[in-house]
């Protein structure tokens, strides 16, 4: 069923979680700095421009100056991630265009670090002088100015990557389908000063071939940018995919599938085809954490292998395993198994016919169910009955006892029941036309 005011659930899903979301942002685009006629001081190619979507959630600018002079001492003393005072009044300058300050003022409602660019662009000022005349650093390469969520967590960091991907789609449309929009010859400027380190850092190779810059690179300097994108952000209200409200019953977003293919292609992830005799590759996520570990995972692996129907791998998705190797395992998995946790974000990169089995959702039912629906892969969780029957809770000393208690314990699952569920998922995969594709390879890995 649709929602109030939107009777067609398919149309609503398209706007919430597919290319309709991008189209609506494109329809919101408007100019905040109109060209000045008769401007003799500046050549046309040196004049600024600024176009943004509603509430400054996405912006494109040309010939803009960012003044980082006030950060000279701060980068050594403060953690500037998530800060809304990196810039002060007048630190962002445009010239050769009329800044619409009234319209700008009406776009500042979402004053939050990861919801919009209002914290930064509220500091815009207009100058009559060429912004390039007082630059310490001039960057002619098209630049992404980026604010990141938690880069240690796959779910949250891939909200960053997903929204950057959406933003490139927007830029591609706004540029008249210029294919250079997809070029990796882009400069990334991170608005943070703690050196970026992440197990997921290889993903950047899909977006840029250049070394990334951060606030340490520009502190104390005035930086002039020829072309700059302020991309969609990871925690926008009704954004993608953090806390995305998704109409029930709909699945398989073309946008999510294209993102998956974009990353897999950008990182050169191979596909090995299917196993012979309808054996299925199963990857069970093994958590190397204090909480939400499956204490009898070895027993579950043994029970599955004894059926002869599965090739089972304990997937240790840790920083010690190179991320492209993790994606290779995921992309060649028929059934992905794991307890509630960020590792299940790997489902984005499963083959189209795959199934996801969230062993227990820890009373957070929507998160990975919705993500699987949007990606278009199957999703199952299971009712293990009364506690202590088919699922045992293993308390952890010093664990949280509050409302989120279920996320701060470990678990043990009945192996016979586990195999029953897995066999039902195997049948679902076998019934999918995509799996039965006669042109697929049948070489064993």
């Amino acid at each position: 069923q649709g929602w109030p005011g939107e009777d067609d659930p398919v149309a609503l899903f398209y706007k919430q979680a597919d290319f309709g979301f991008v189209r609506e942002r494109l329809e919101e685009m408007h100019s905040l700095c109109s060209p000045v006629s008769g401007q003799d001081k500046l050549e046309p190619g040196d004049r600024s421009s600024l176009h943004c979507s509603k509430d400054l959630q996405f912006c494109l600018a040309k010939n803009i100056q960012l003044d980082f002079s006030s950060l000279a001492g701060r980068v050594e003393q403060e953690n500037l991630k998530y800060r809304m005072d990196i810039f002060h009044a007048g630190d962002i300058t445009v010239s050769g265009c009329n800044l619409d300050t009234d319209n700008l003022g009406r776009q500042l409602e979402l004053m939050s670090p990861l919801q919009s660019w209002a914290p930064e662009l509220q500091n815009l000022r207009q100058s009559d002088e060429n912004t390039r005349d007082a630059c310490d650093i001039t960057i002619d390469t098209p630049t992404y100015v980026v604010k990141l969520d938690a880069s240690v967590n796959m779910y949250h960091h891939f909200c960053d990557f997903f929204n950057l991907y959406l933003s490139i789609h927007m830029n591609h449309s706004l540029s008249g389908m210029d294919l250079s929009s997809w070029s990796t010859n882009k400069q990334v400027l991170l608005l943070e000063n703690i050196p970026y380190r992440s197990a997921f850092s290889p993903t950047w190779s899909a977006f840029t071939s250049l070394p990334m810059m951060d606030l340490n690179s520009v502190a104390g300097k005035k930086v002039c940018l020829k072309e700059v994108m302020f991309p969609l952000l990871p925690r926008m209200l009704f954004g993608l995919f953090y806390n995305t409200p998704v109409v029930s019953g709909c699945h398989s977003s073309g946008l999510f599938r294209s993102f998956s293919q974009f990353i897999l292609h950008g990182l050169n992830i191979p596909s090995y085809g299917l196993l012979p005799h309808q054996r299925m590759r199963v990857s069970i996520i093994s958590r190397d954490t204090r909480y939400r570990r499956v204490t009898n995972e070895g027993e579950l692996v043994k029970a599955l292998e004894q059926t002869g129907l599965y090739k089972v791998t304990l997937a240790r998705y840790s920083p010690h395993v190179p991320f492209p190797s993790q994606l290779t395992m995921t992309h060649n998995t028929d059934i992905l198994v794991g307890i509630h946790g960020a590792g299940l974000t790997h489902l984005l990169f499963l083959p189209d016919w795959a199934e996801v089995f969230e062993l227990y959702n820890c009373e957070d039912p929507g998160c990975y169910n919705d993500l699987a629906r949007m990606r278009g892969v199957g999703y199952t969780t299971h009712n293990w009955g009364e506690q202590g029957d088919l699922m045992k809770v293993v308390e952890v000393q010093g664990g949280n006892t509050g409302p989120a208690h279920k996320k701060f314990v470990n678990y043990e699952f009945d192996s016979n029941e586990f195999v029953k569920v897995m066999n039902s998922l195997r049948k679902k995969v076998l019934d999918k036309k995509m799996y039965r594709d006669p042109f697929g390879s049948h070489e064993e890995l």
Side-chain angles (χ1 to χ4, degrees):
Q1 294 182 348
W3 289 7
E6 185 67 69
D7 295 333
D8 184 348
V10 175
L12 179 58
F13 181 77
Y14 183 72
K15 289 195 293 187
Q16 289 176 331
D18 211 325
F19 281 101
F21 179 89
V22 176
R23 184 173 65 185
E24 285 198 338
R25 302 292 80 72
L26 287 169
E27 291 171 350
E28 295 171 357
M29 294 296 293
H30 59 282
S31 174
L32 285 169
C33 207
S34 56
V36 176
S37 59
Q39 174 61 265
D40 297 326
K41 290 185 179 181
L42 298 176
E43 295 295 328
D46 292 334
R47 295 175 187 172
S48 301
S49 66
L50 177 64
H51 294 82
C52 297
S53 65
K54 184 175 180 290
D55 295 321
L56 308 180
Q57 292 186 320
F58 169 89
C59 295
L60 293 174
K62 291 185 177 180
N63 299 311
I64 191 169
Q65 184 190 91
L66 308 182
D67 188 351
F68 297 97
S69 299
S70 65
L71 300 186
R74 295 179 64 191
V75 290
E76 302 294 335
Q77 301 171 3
E78 304 174 44
N79 182 353
L80 298 175
K81 190 179 181 74
Y82 306 134
R83 293 292 293 267
M84 296 197 294
D85 61 351
I86 290 174
F87 298 103
H88 299 96
D91 281 349
I92 302 180
T93 305
V94 292
S95 60
C97 65
N98 286 321
L99 182 62
D100 189 343
T101 54
D102 290 339
N103 191 1
L104 177 63
R106 292 191 294 269
Q107 305 295 318
L108 302 179
E109 183 177 351
L110 302 181
M111 193 63 69
S112 178
L114 295 181
Q115 290 187 3
S116 83
W117 292 96
E120 292 76 28
L121 295 182
Q122 66 175 330
N123 298 296
L124 268 166
R125 74 177 178 95
Q126 179 182 332
S127 172
D128 294 330
E129 304 299 324
N130 191 334
T131 57
R132 299 170 72 93
D133 288 343
C135 302
D136 301 302
I137 300 174
T138 299
I139 302 176
D140 290 325
T141 304
T143 301
Y144 304 144
V145 176
V146 175
K147 297 190 288 188
L148 296 177
D149 204 340
S151 59
V152 299
N153 179 292
M154 186 177 180
Y155 181 87
H156 291 295
H157 202 10
F158 269 79
C159 284
D160 297 318
F161 292 127
F162 188 80
N163 280 283
L164 182 54
Y165 173 72
L166 302 192
S167 300
I168 297 173
H169 265 293
M170 292 186 64
N171 187 40
H172 183 226
S173 295
L174 294 166
S175 68
M177 304 301 180
D178 186 344
L179 289 178
S180 68
S181 301
W182 296 100
S183 166
T184 57
N185 184 36
K186 301 293 194 301
Q187 181 63 64
V188 174
L189 173 56
L190 302 178
L191 293 191
E192 50 188 64
N193 60 320
I194 304 302
Y196 172 83
R197 295 185 181 89
S198 173
F200 314 109
S201 61
T203 309
W204 283 108
S205 64
F207 297 94
T208 180
S209 58
L210 304 178
M212 294 196 295
M213 301 172 67
D214 63 14
L215 293 178
N216 299 294
S217 313
V218 297
K221 298 179 174 65
K222 293 181 179 180
V223 179
C224 290
L225 301 169
K226 183 70 175 176
E227 296 181 41
V228 59
M229 174 198 292
F230 299 92
L232 297 166
L233 291 162
R235 298 209 182 200
M236 297 181 298
L237 293 176
F238 304 108
L240 291 169
F241 49 82
Y242 178 77
N243 278 346
T244 302
V246 185
V247 62
S248 62
C250 295
H251 60 86
S252 301
S253 160
L255 181 58
F256 275 78
R257 186 174 187 269
S258 68
F259 171 71
S260 177
Q261 293 174 327
F262 172 78
I263 297 298
L264 293 169
H265 175 76
L267 273 65
N268 297 310
I269 303 302
S271 177
Y272 298 124
L274 305 177
L275 294 178
H277 312 303
Q278 297 185 338
R279 283 184 75 215
M280 293 196 179
R281 295 187 183 97
V282 174
S283 295
I284 300 177
I285 299 174
S286 179
R287 290 173 59 88
D288 185 21
T289 56
R290 187 179 182 194
Y291 305 114
R292 276 176 281 155
R293 288 187 295 110
V294 179
T295 58
N296 68 326
E297 61 186 19
E299 180 184 340
L300 302 184
V301 170
K302 183 178 179 180
L304 269 189
E305 289 179 334
Q306 285 177 342
T307 68
L309 300 174
Y310 306 97
K311 180 179 180 180
V312 187
T313 302
L314 274 180
R316 305 188 187 278
Y317 292 149
S318 76
H320 303 294
V321 179
F323 188 59
S325 298
Q326 296 183 31
L327 287 187
T328 299
M329 180 182 296
T330 300
H331 189 51
N332 292 282
T333 291
D334 301 307
I335 304 174
L336 180 67
V337 181
I339 200 165
H340 184 86
L344 285 173
T345 309
H346 270 272
L347 67 84
L348 290 171
F349 305 104
L350 289 167
D352 292 339
W353 60 79
E355 290 283 330
V356 177
F357 180 16
E358 186 172 16
L359 287 165
Y360 181 52
N361 61 32
C362 299
E363 298 185 355
D364 188 356
C367 183
Y368 296 104
N369 185 1
D370 286 345
L371 195 60
R373 280 205 292 132
M374 289 185 285
R375 170 59 187 90
V377 294
Y379 171 89
T380 296
T381 191
H382 188 59
N383 181 1
W384 296 92
E386 294 297 322
Q387 182 173 311
D389 185 8
L390 300 176
M391 180 183 77
K392 296 180 181 178
V393 173
V394 182
E395 297 287 348
V396 178
Q397 187 174 2
N400 189 303
T401 58
H405 170 253
K406 299 297 177 65
K407 294 183 179 181
F408 294 92
V409 292
N410 295 323
Y411 293 90
E412 179 179 316
F413 298 95
D414 181 86
S415 59
N416 291 326
E417 187 73 7
F418 174 69
V419 171
K420 288 179 184 178
V421 177
M422 291 296 292
N423 286 341
S424 69
L425 295 181
R426 179 175 178 273
K427 186 177 185 305
K428 286 184 179 181
V429 174
L430 289 172
D431 287 342
K432 293 182 181 180
K433 183 179 179 181
M434 288 176 289
Y435 178 81
R436 302 193 310 270
D437 178 10
F439 300 104
S441 170
H442 295 272
E443 295 293 324
E444 176 148 9
L445 176 61

